[in-house]
Amino acid sequence: MDHIFKFMSSQNTNSSQIQIPQIMALKTACVTQLSNPNNNNILLDHDDTNNNDVNPAATFINHNNNNLDQLSNDDDDNVKRSDVFRDKLAKNEFMVIGHRGTGMNLLQSPDPRMKSIKENSILAFNSAAQLNLHFLEFDVQVTKDGCPVIFHDSFIYTQDKGEIIEKRVTDLNLDEFLSYGPQRDPNRVGKPLFRKTKDGRIFEWKVEKDDYLCTLEEVFQNINHSKGFNIEFKFDDNIVYKEEELVHAIEIVLCVVSKYAKDRSIFFSSFQPDATLLVRKLQSTYPVFFLTNGGSETYTDVRRNSLDEAIKLCLTGSLNGIVAEVRSVLRNPGVIRRIKDYNLSLISYGQLNNVREVVHAQILMGVDGVIVDLVQEITEAVAEFSKKAEKDGVVREGESDDIKCSHYELSNLMKLIPNLVQL
């Protein structure tokens, strides 16, 4: 008897308003419209007025709230867009997502590929967009003066007279944030940029191909429209946020998305449980995923401590799926079926996703996609797997939406997983 790994079943629709790749298993995208609890929205808009005293690339002014209302109040439009998500399930194509563009920078790594292109930069996004991937993942924070910027770490570091200076990104004004690293103006010299690792070591942020820091608006305006965005709302794990603080940051980001997204494929994610619930509450146009390491670390908020808790959060908050650390999935492959039975999607992240065998294992197991650093290597590997599956007749159309694999593939998969989860 063949062993079957179930992908999500598709549903038919005739809507074609937003072009979401066919790999997105988002059966729960059509959610009940929730009202916006905050009626005092401030829309931050871009001002193209030339002004020598202000950075022309990112000047924001108060505007009306029409853009944010579009994400919240047009029920018919939202339902049509949600229907498209379900319509794109037919091919069950595996999704590859570029982590911070072409991959995160591991400055302490001897692998030059991890220090090739500056992460979370326009250069990284455009370089990744040339490859056969579906989405670009990046991290968004909001500066003190209300501008969404692309940066992963909570703190930014520089050096002055031999002393390392640390500042919180969200405590900076936009101009000060953009003053770090390479500058757009060749006549300006930026502050040297450093990075602190989890173990406390500090490295100068040196990469082979550097680029300046950027805003969310610039990403929308400068990246190929055919590539989707996985926008991660970044919040500090060590801060207990008030709801109004989360709402403030989320609404600012949503305003920029509403203005510039057009029909670009987008889904949101966050490790912050309350933030994910608020993103869903404040808009119903785009899917929302909960990010979790599935128990690799322990947090005071129990919702972050297991895949079971992640499932509960998704179900209670009408979220669309989970982005889980890959080891938590490999340790408990049976959870994949449970997640799919609840009509949720599953994407994985983590350094093990840079190993082609790990990605192949997840394809066979029914994971919907992977976030990866070695984008070129993994996109090529996935293309090879797909060709081999088609040649070998692994995928059989018309037999529900199951993926079937041979005993040989299953045997190799079972041998692989115990070794992987120890890494």
Side-chain angles (χ1 to χ4, degrees), residues 230-231 233 254 257 266-270 279 283 286-289:
N230 169 201
I231 301 176
F233 288 89
L254 292 181
V257 171
I266 292 172
F267 70 96
F268 297 115
S269 62
S270 182
V279 175
Q283 63 83 44
Y286 301 108
V288 183
F289 281 57

Side-chain angles (χ1 to χ4, degrees), residues 275-290:
T276 59
L277 297 176
L278 286 168
V279 175
R280 166 51 68 221
K281 187 175 182 179
L282 291 169
Q283 63 83 44
S284 58
T285 300
Y286 301 108
V288 183
F289 281 57
F290 178 51

Side-chain angles (χ1 to χ4, degrees), residues 309-321:
E309 290 293 335
I311 293 172
K312 291 179 185 177
L313 184 72
C314 289
L315 296 178
T316 57
S318 296
L319 306 183
N320 303 98

Side-chain angles (χ1 to χ4, degrees), residues 350-368:
Q351 293 187 49
L352 279 181
N353 279 347
N354 297 317
V355 180
R356 56 183 290 143
E357 291 81 7
V358 176
V359 174
H360 193 193
Q362 293 177 82
I363 293 175
L364 296 175
M365 294 164 66
V367 174
D368 297 303

Side-chain angles (χ1 to χ4, degrees), residues 215-229:
T215 67
L216 177 60
E217 177 185 331
E218 289 177 303
V219 174
F220 271 109
Q221 293 181 322
N222 290 281
I223 307 305
N224 188 319
H225 194 79
S226 68
K227 300 302 178 182
F229 288 167

Side-chain angles (χ1 to χ4, degrees), residues 6-19:
K6 178 86 173 168
F7 276 122
M8 290 190 98
S9 61
S10 61
Q11 298 184 32
N12 294 325
T13 179
N14 295 320
S15 178
S16 58
Q17 194 162 349
I18 280 191
Q19 300 303 311

Side-chain angles (χ1 to χ4, degrees), residues 180-212:
Y180 288 81
Q183 298 295 292
R184 296 164 176 77
D185 184 350
N187 296 319
R188 296 184 64 180
V189 177
K191 300 174 185 176
L193 187 59
F194 287 74
R195 185 174 220 175
K196 189 175 185 178
T197 60
K198 284 188 175 182
D199 60 9
R201 292 179 292 167
I202 295 178
F203 294 85
E204 186 172 3
W205 205 320
K206 288 185 176 181
V207 292
E208 182 182 346
K209 298 178 182 178
D210 211 342
D211 199 16
Y212 51 79

Side-chain angles (χ1 to χ4, degrees), residues 92-153:
N92 282 326
E93 186 181 352
F94 190 72
M95 176 165 56
V96 180
I97 303 169
H99 188 209
R100 307 179 201 172
T102 50
M104 66 176 174
N105 296 150
L106 285 180
L107 304 177
Q108 69 275 27
S109 173
D111 188 342
R113 296 175 298 178
M114 306 305 291
K115 295 175 284 187
S116 176
I117 302 176
K118 180 72 158 289
E119 69 174 43
N120 275 333
S121 68
I122 299 295
L123 178 60
F125 299 141
N126 278 326
S127 298
Q130 297 176 22
L131 302 172
N132 187 28
L133 51 72
H134 304 90
F135 282 82
L136 300 166
E137 183 272 349
F138 51 82
D139 312 276
V140 177
Q141 303 184 59
V142 176
T143 60
K144 186 177 181 180
D145 53 346
C147 179
V149 295
I150 313 303
F151 199 75
H152 174 271
D153 301 356

